[in-house]
Amino acid sequence: MLGLPISYRVWKVWRRNMVTFMRTWKVNFIPPFLEPVLYLLALGLGVGSFISDIQGVSYPRYIAPALISIAVMNAAFFECTYASYVRMYYAKTFDAMIATPLSIEEVIAGELLWGATRGLIYAVLMFPVLLAFGVIDLPSSFLIFPFVILAGLLFAGLGMCFTAISPGIDALNYPSFLLITPMFLFSGTFFPLNLLPPFIQIIALALLPLAHVVIVFRSFTLDMISLSILPSLVWLASATLILFIVSIRLMKRRLIV
Amino acid sequence: MEADFRVAHPEKAHAPDHKEPGSESAREMVVEATNLEKRFGTLVAVDGISFRVYEGEAFGFLGPNGAGKTSTMRMIQCVSPRTSGELRVFGMDTQEHPREIKQTMGVVPQENNLDPDFPVREGLIQFARYFDIPHADAVKRADELLSLMALEEKKNTTVEKLSGGMKRRLILARALMNRPRLLILDEPTTGLDPQARHLIWEGLRDLVSQGNTILLTTHYMEEAAHLCDRIVIMDHGKILVEGKPQDLVKRYAGDYIVEADSTQEVQECLKRHDIIFDAYEGRVQIFTQDPKEVTRLLLDECSMGGEVAARPASLEDVFLRLTGRTLRE
């Protein structure tokens, strides 16, 4: 696959993570239920009461797709940074795995697929909450799920690149607040991108994957699907593919000496 | 222990010649390294070594820290690419057939890497999945090995709650899950108490007596002498000597060692009698076939005031003689 020695064995790595995740499912399932409720109350009802609408859309409905996008980003990115780093460096789980018929490429690809899955689990759990608030449309909103996997894989790959080059676990704080936090705020999540100066808009669309994820998800949850999302889909697919390959290469360089 | 050891290896006591490379034709070659080299940048960790390990053999790598033992093990395990030379395991190139080789290999790494997210028994079953072992077989095998390693009572315990010795036993159990034809152990008993060490040794001896091949690194000379049919002593990335432990002792340390306090007087006296000795840390060491004669000489003719002791030579003497007494690292 992609010129890498990757077989069905990636699912063994994925399954290992799934099993340990499900062991503590109760605590893992709380944030996806709680987060959208808190955001919709604080931003939707609180801040939103000062906003009549954005481009003809009520504020809670405007931010709903952003909430899913952000949750997927956080779930996948933090799984493949801190959690993967702990497995790689402290628990030496990857070392144990590559002493079996698994290849390093399969171990990392399995981690990436698991990071994407974690994003998917979050999105699936948030979905009924957003539905209950009446802020996403049916059935068009169901279309987000395949793209949740794509976005999850992208943020997993992005996180894994940082894991591969971080000298220590503390260094992972840099991408967290230098990349993830600004991305969370400036990707058309809580206000339209076009309110920003043009050059920041260009930077956001050129560099911030979340901006494209939000464009795609919003068109689905508001049932306003058009060809205008096509560039974003191409951007996301290309970035995901590149990050998938680059993150595996970087991890191999780090671990195989 | 000694008695068990002999019972377990009847053929080894009688046919020592069959351990030597060259005279071996019937048994399969498990590991074959030719001019194997590993460099990390400018550091030469393994400097063109050649050796062969045959089926059913317990083969030991001895050497001080930084000698290149672990680097060699990691190349055999197919997790570290070689810089140059040839390396075959079960006749297969380690870089071309890593999966096939790893499928029939068990590894006990130097550092514990037990999966902390699984309780003992479940961890073994999870590990078996990486080898495509069917679930029912894995469960059966896990229970067998837990009982063999005296870990049955701990089967639902989390790994972090185990003692050092239990962790080591569990890691050995894990390495045996796939019924490996070759077991690689990198310092299997470092940091263990004597009880735990002997339990692991017993387990390893049983494995060898069942025809398994074992490759281990250690810097416990007693461990090497106990377990290994054949050893190599490595230093600075090179193999210094290779052979059966008892042969190496004979060849490099003789039968007995007489030790005495070193004084100017004693050293001059020994030189006068043409007796070769090593002097260090205020002691002289004489390698000899005839400890009685040397002791008499020291006491009678060298007017020794201090203590004189004679003891059989050991692998440790060979090791220190060959690798020196300078502290490494």
Side-chain angles (χ1 to χ4, degrees), chain A residues 82 165-176:
Chain A
Y82 295 96
I165 59 172
S166 276
I169 196 162
D170 293 332
L172 289 173
N173 293 340
Y174 290 111
S176 304

Side-chain angles (χ1 to χ4, degrees), chain B residues 179-236:
Chain B
R179 301 177 189 278
R181 287 173 64 199
L182 170 63
L183 184 63
I184 296 186
L185 306 108
D186 199 355
E187 295 182 18
T189 62
T190 297
L192 295 188
D193 63 28
Q195 285 82 358
R197 179 172 302 158
H198 278 276
L199 191 84
I200 293 209
W201 285 353
E202 263 174 64
L204 294 179
R205 265 189 243 126
D206 284 345
L207 285 167
V208 175
S209 69
Q210 287 157 24
N212 294 287
T213 311
I214 287 184
L215 208 58
L216 68 94
T217 76
T218 182
H219 32 229
Y220 293 122
M221 299 306 128
E222 200 195 344
E223 184 160 286
H226 248 76
L227 289 176
C228 297
D229 301 312
R230 212 147 55 85
I231 59 165
V232 292
I233 297 181
M234 279 185 85
D235 200 11
H236 304 296

Side-chain angles (χ1 to χ4, degrees), chain A residues 61 64-65 68 127 131 134-148 213-226 229:
Chain A
R61 280 170 53 77
I68 304 178
F127 202 79
L131 217 51
V135 291
I136 55 175
D137 289 342
L138 282 184
S140 62
S141 291
F142 281 120
L143 280 173
I144 64 165
F145 290 117
F147 299 96
V148 162
V213 174
V214 170
I215 289 170
V216 173
F217 285 11
R218 189 168 279 143
S219 79
F220 294 149
T221 65
L222 296 177
D223 197 7
M224 298 196 301
I225 304 159
S226 73
I229 64 167

